[in-house]
Amino acid sequence: MQKILNYINGELVEPISKKYLENINPATGQIYSQCPDSDERDIELAVKSAESAIDSWSNMSASDRSKIMLTLAGLMERDLDKLAIAESIDQGKPLWLAKNGEIPRAISNIHFFATGIEHFSSESHSMGKHAINYTLRAPIGIVGCISPWNLPLYLFTWKIAPAIAAGNCVIAKPSEITPMTAFLFAELCIEAGLPKGVLNIVNGLGPKVGSAIVSHEKITAISFTGGTKTGEEIARVAGPKFKKLSLELGGKNPNIVFADCNFEKAVSESVRASFTNQGEICLCGSRIFIERSIYEKFKTEFVKQTAKLKVGNPLAEDTKVGAIASQQHFDKILSYIELAKQEGGKLLFGGNTVKLEGENATGFFILPTVFENLPFDCKTNQEEIFGPLVTLIPFDTEDDVLTMANSTQFGLSCTIWTENLARAHNIAAKVKSGIVWVNCWLLRDLRTPFGGMKSSGVGREGGLEAFRFFTETKNVCVKL
Ligand code: NDP
């Protein structure tokens, strides 16, 4: 059985405890590898290694750091298929999605920030003949990056790429549910010649390894993507220590369909926005608001297209919906299906587990599930489920839909379907979300600010925002 190792001080090493956690393939429910069960002693080693690397890495020219990262991106490109297969097995996502979407995006993350750092500049503010101010943006030092299980390598690289490009050393923790691609990535870092200690990957449990990162005195900035509850706990620990924090948290995103939309596009993209990656993307649209005059027509077509999505072995080419990432998450989604029924929801499609054959008979599969007839303020429509479960809700006016869309504690993303540009701008301005898509979904430009409002997070990542987060700003005022 394959043993995943930590990556500390440029080497692949066992956890000090020598203990391992079982890593399960969600498509079979069987253990297929072992993940280090690290603790604060491993974090201590990682911090020591980062301390010995920080001076030379932060003083290296941006272009030299960039060259190493571009070599790394090239190696990822070479191993794209291997990384995609590993991601699909570890997480349960369809292989085609990993191959065409997520791993290429992880490569783009490295490439984007490697080249971006060469163009990152700081400001100066002249006070005429009296003085000049200039802004220095220096690396922070040692930073912590903690990422979740839904888009493992994609979100892992989204954090560490700007951090190391900006000259920091990183202590990173992938989710112990999906540690495999971060391990393969560590092997590529060694091959690419990333200097020892610049990146340290410590695997293990959140409350043990994650919290040791968050509370460590020498780790002065934390970039975290994960659930809102965990974000709260991280803020509680890091806040009094005045650490810089970037929190990318949960969502309960509205997908608003007006009667004047391009109907075919709105339906097919809404199906995609609902069930891609089994609905386990923080940006999935789980509350679909439909203008009443097209409600029945939209519902019929949406359910028809949903019924065609094949649930199956993630490695099979025709699978559209793979396995739920873990038994625990599978149970959570099933409990929400029961809750939706108790709250009076009418099941339009799904609502069941799927029994596959052969080795997949013990995997965690759930049919894409569609409910209607649930009030906008019931629990099913207010809490993040993070799975293949959506609700359809009719609306009459722009004001009505805005009230319902803005009614949750979350504010991550929103999608609007309309051919009326003035209406799109109006809703975009008034909806409380950090990201708004008009007539599209998940169309991403890495230069744009990314993040949520309300309980969906604090701060923005992406483009220059990420470099600003991972640097310390200092103003120098010189009297002339
Ligand atoms: P969790 O919050 O459970 O975990 C995220 C990471 O934090 C994991 O590595 C986890 O480790 C670790 N962790 C857990 N407890 C602590 C702690 N006390 N201190 C430090 N680290 C800790 O989220 P999930 O992995 O379940 O991911 C799903 C969530 O992520 C959803 O809510 C989703 O919306 C959100 N998300 C947000 C995105 C955004 O950009 N806003 C993007 C993608 C997902 P372990 O796995 O061992 O528990």
Side-chain angles (χ1 to χ4, degrees):
M1 181 156 318
Q2 184 171 4
K3 235 185 206 181
I4 288 168
L5 296 169
N6 288 335
Y7 171 53
I8 298 177
N9 203 27
E11 286 171 20
L12 299 172
V13 293
E14 295 213 68
I16 292 175
S17 67
K18 300 273 190 293
K19 287 192 194 145
Y20 287 82
L21 303 160
E22 293 170 344
N23 187 23
I24 289 169
N25 174 346
T28 63
Q30 305 301 316
I31 304 163
Y32 86 103
S33 71
Q34 293 182 308
C35 169
D37 182 9
S38 314
D39 56 38
E40 72 284 353
R41 293 171 296 170
D42 304 279
I43 294 295
E44 200 53 54
L45 273 187
V47 170
K48 286 214 165 73
S49 125
E51 275 185 305
S52 50
I54 189 66
D55 277 353
S56 62
W57 184 248
S58 59
N59 286 316
M60 187 184 278
S61 71
S63 95
D64 284 346
R65 287 200 297 267
S66 173
K67 268 184 214 144
I68 297 172
M69 290 179 69
L70 290 174
T71 305
L72 179 58
L75 295 174
M76 292 170 80
E77 193 88 57
R78 182 197 71 191
D79 287 0
L80 196 155
D81 285 352
K82 180 178 169 188
L83 290 165
I85 291 168
E87 200 74 300
S88 173
I89 292 172
D90 210 20
Q91 203 274 342
K93 65 183 73 261
L95 177 57
W96 58 264
L97 185 61
K99 211 169 181 166
N100 304 323
E102 292 184 30
I103 302 301
R105 167 58 197 276
I107 298 168
S108 299
N109 288 339
I110 302 288
H111 196 272
F112 175 83
F113 288 109
T115 51
I117 197 63
E118 294 216 70
H119 305 272
F120 184 50
S121 56
S122 56
E123 310 84 344
S124 79
H125 300 90
S126 165
M127 297 171 77
K129 61 184 182 189
H130 304 296
I132 183 149
N133 295 274
Y134 61 88
T135 308
L136 291 175
R137 293 189 191 276
I140 295 174
I142 306 175
V143 302
C145 297
I146 303 175
S147 49
W149 49 258
N150 63 322
L151 309 171
L153 194 62
Y154 173 137
L155 289 172
F156 185 79
T157 50
W158 178 239
K159 296 184 174 306
I160 61 164
I164 62 177
N168 301 286
C169 289
V170 174
I171 315 295
K173 186 193 107 55
S175 169
E176 102 284 351
I177 296 167
T178 53
M180 186 57 85
T181 46
F183 173 59
L184 299 177
F185 181 80
E187 292 180 332
L188 296 182
C189 288
I190 296 170
E191 192 179 343
L194 188 72
K196 287 178 179 185
V198 171
L199 172 66
N200 300 276
I201 304 174
V202 185
N203 292 281
L205 296 167
K208 227 150 108 179
V209 174
S211 66
I213 293 176
V214 175
S215 57
H216 200 290
E217 298 295 335
K218 290 188 174 154
I219 302 177
T220 49
I222 305 288
S223 170
F224 168 79
T225 297
T228 295
K229 275 265 157 281
T230 318
E232 259 175 53
E233 169 63 13
I234 289 175
R236 193 185 63 72
V237 176
K241 296 179 190 285
F242 305 109
K243 296 190 183 208
K244 223 175 167 183
L245 266 189
S246 169
L247 301 173
E248 304 283 342
L249 310 176
K252 185 77 179 176
N253 308 309
N255 180 3
I256 305 174
V257 186
F258 285 96
D260 62 6
C261 67
N262 174 332
F263 185 79
E264 280 71 36
K265 194 106 208 222
V267 178
S268 61
E269 285 294 285
S270 295
V271 171
R272 196 169 75 85
S274 301
F275 302 118
T276 297
N277 204 42
Q278 303 73 245
E280 296 164 333
I281 301 182
C282 54
L283 305 164
C284 279
S286 49
R287 295 178 295 149
I288 310 180
F289 297 102
I290 305 139
E291 197 167 354
R292 201 174 298 275
S293 60
I294 59 159
Y295 183 80
E296 289 301 324
K297 184 180 167 201
F298 184 95
K299 176 173 104 180
T300 307
E301 192 54 32
F302 184 87
V303 169
K304 195 168 128 199
Q305 291 190 23
T306 299
K308 287 189 187 146
L309 299 174
K310 186 171 176 229
V311 180
N313 181 347
L315 298 174
E317 262 176 35
D318 57 347
T319 290
K320 290 287 183 283
V321 177
I324 301 299
S326 68
Q327 170 89 59
Q328 196 191 8
H329 195 53
F330 176 77
D331 294 341
K332 177 183 155 183
I333 296 167
L334 293 179
S335 77
Y336 271 102
I337 292 174
E338 282 316 304
L339 176 72
K341 289 179 189 163
Q342 281 164 24
E343 289 187 314
K346 181 176 167 202
L347 186 63
L348 297 174
F349 188 78
N352 279 323
T353 56
V354 182
K355 255 285 170 262
L356 297 180
E357 310 220 306
E359 61 167 11
N360 297 122
T362 41
F364 314 134
F365 297 93
I366 298 180
L367 271 178
T369 296
V370 187
F371 277 99
E372 69 169 351
N373 207 25
L374 282 161
F376 77 90
D377 54 356
C378 70
K379 276 186 166 187
T380 310
N381 275 327
Q382 292 289 314
E383 296 179 7
E384 184 185 45
I385 300 169
F386 210 54
L389 190 170
V390 297
T391 59
L392 307 186
I393 306 163
F395 71 88
D396 293 303
T397 66
E398 283 184 26
D399 283 349
D400 282 353
V401 78
L402 271 168
T403 303
M404 294 192 283
N406 287 337
S407 67
T408 73
Q409 64 164 316
F410 300 106
L412 188 55
S413 74
C414 169
T415 306
I416 304 165
W417 297 95
T418 176
E419 293 294 294
N420 178 340
L421 210 51
R423 165 180 276 164
H425 287 306
N426 181 42
I427 302 282
K430 291 182 180 162
V431 77
K432 299 222 176 318
S433 316
I435 300 144
V436 179
W437 279 293
V438 178
N439 297 330
C440 58
W441 176 71
L442 207 58
L443 185 55
R444 292 278 294 119
D445 179 328
L446 302 190
R447 293 169 301 178
T448 58
F450 181 92
M453 296 182 182
K454 303 196 280 182
S455 302
S456 288
V458 177
R460 294 292 180 271
E461 296 187 350
L464 295 179
E465 303 278 349
F467 285 139
R468 290 191 183 124
F469 175 76
F470 283 114
T471 50
E472 196 69 82
T473 308
K474 185 188 285 177
N475 187 66
V476 181
C477 178
V478 183
K479 176 111 178 60
L480 299 177

